[in-house]
């Protein structure tokens, strides 16, 4: 662990970015705790979810479905489905987790933020340092934010008036913005947004978000179509070159 902190200290820009994302996650955790308690759920529930589950999107979805009268089994299934993205994450950053208890702890603190920061680094030492620093920092800040929000939620009667429900989508949007430079990713995001907006008035809470994953299939089909058409489109150029 000392080598991790030495690497972070030697990279001031990386340390600054990690501190900013930890601060943002603390605010989102505060909103999650306040929203959960404001919805009439017990104070201990957001804190237990944050310690054991530690997955913001799954936690928000679980609480949203339960608060709207949804079935707990459906809420758990939806949360597991959302967290299914951690399977490819594990294959991608498995070499950063270490062995034994470190691998167990490293898997538990795996988040979108820790994986994104790790993959953005140029070498293995910085990837490992970024993964662990973000994972541990976000875990601590998220749980402190949830703790403060849970007790604050007992005082605030209407969390929607404070706009706390917009904090989590705002952080997710900030995380995906750099990825939108890729045309296929833009198509997937646009298709998912349209599917969610169209189906939300007619389907139970949570289901439109799951249906939005169909946007990924549309983007993949478009990418395959482009790959298939590219050889034929370049044929005239090849003919010209042959001449």
């Amino acid at each position: 662990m000392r080598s991790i902190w030495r690497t972070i200290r030697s990279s001031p820009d990386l340390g600054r970015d990690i501190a900013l994302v930890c601060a943002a996650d603390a605010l989102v955790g505060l909103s999650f705790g306040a929203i959960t308690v404001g919805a009439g759920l017990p104070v201990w529930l957001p804190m237990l979810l944050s310690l054991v589950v530690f997955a913001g999107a799954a936690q928000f979805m679980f609480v949203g479905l339960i608060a709207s009268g949804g079935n707990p089994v459906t809420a758990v299934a939806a949360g597991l489905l959302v967290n299914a993205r951690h399977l490819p994450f594990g294959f991608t950053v498995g070499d950063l987790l270490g062995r034994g208890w470190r691998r167990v702890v490293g898997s538990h603190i795996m988040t979108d933020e820790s994986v994104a920061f790790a993959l953005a680094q140029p070498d293995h030492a910085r990837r490992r340092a970024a993964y662990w620093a973000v994972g541990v920092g976000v875990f601590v800040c998220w749980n402190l934010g949830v703790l403060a929000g849970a007790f604050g939620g007992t005082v605030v009667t209407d969390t929607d008036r404070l706009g706390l429900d917009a904090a989590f989508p705002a952080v997710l949007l900030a995380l995906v913005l750099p990825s939108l430079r890729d045309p296929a990713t833009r198509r997937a995001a646009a298709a998912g947004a349209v599917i969610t907006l169209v189906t939300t008035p007619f389907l139970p809470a949570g289901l439109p978000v799951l249906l939005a994953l169909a946007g990924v299939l549309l983007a993949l089909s478009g990418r395959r179509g482009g790959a298939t058409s590219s050889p034929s489109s370049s044929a005239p150029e090849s003919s010209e070159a042959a001449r």
Side-chain angles (χ1 to χ4, degrees), residues 54-82:
F54 186 50
Q59 292 178 223
F60 270 99
M61 179 168 289
F62 178 86
V63 167
L65 290 173
I66 294 297
S68 60
N71 187 302
V73 176
T74 304
V76 171
L80 289 174
L81 186 58
V82 169

Side-chain angles (χ1 to χ4, degrees), residues 206-231:
L207 191 55
V209 177
L210 299 180
L211 290 178
L213 294 174
V216 177
L217 300 178
L218 294 176
L220 289 176
S221 63
R223 179 171 287 178
R224 287 171 183 167
T228 304
S229 61
S230 57

Side-chain angles (χ1 to χ4, degrees), residues 56-143:
Q59 292 178 223
F60 270 99
M61 179 168 289
F62 178 86
V63 167
L65 290 173
I66 294 297
S68 60
N71 187 302
V73 176
T74 304
V76 171
L80 289 174
L81 186 58
V82 169
N83 271 0
R85 69 188 187 284
H86 283 206
L87 289 175
F89 283 179
F91 288 113
T92 305
V93 299
D95 61 325
L96 309 177
L97 303 183
R99 297 182 180 278
W101 66 268
R102 289 187 179 85
R103 196 166 191 83
V104 176
V105 174
S107 300
H108 187 60
I109 62 173
M110 183 186 296
T111 62
D112 297 340
E113 295 91 329
S114 60
V115 173
F117 266 79
L119 296 181
Q121 306 311 311
D123 55 68
H124 182 271
R126 283 175 62 98
R127 283 197 294 272
R128 179 170 173 268
Y131 179 85
W132 280 93
V134 173
V136 172
V138 168
F139 183 83
V140 172
C141 293
W142 171 265
N143 279 282

Side-chain angles (χ1 to χ4, degrees), residues 154-216:
T154 59
V155 179
V156 180
T157 56
D158 188 0
T159 54
D160 289 349
R161 295 186 63 181
L162 299 178
L164 294 178
D165 54 330
F168 186 64
V171 171
L172 289 182
L173 181 62
L175 286 173
V176 303
L177 276 178
S179 301
L180 296 181
R181 295 170 184 161
D182 178 49
T185 305
R186 283 201 302 273
R187 286 196 296 271
V194 171
I195 292 171
T196 302
L197 290 174
V198 170
T199 57
T200 293
F202 311 104
L203 296 177
L207 191 55
V209 177
L210 299 180
L211 290 178
L213 294 174
V216 177

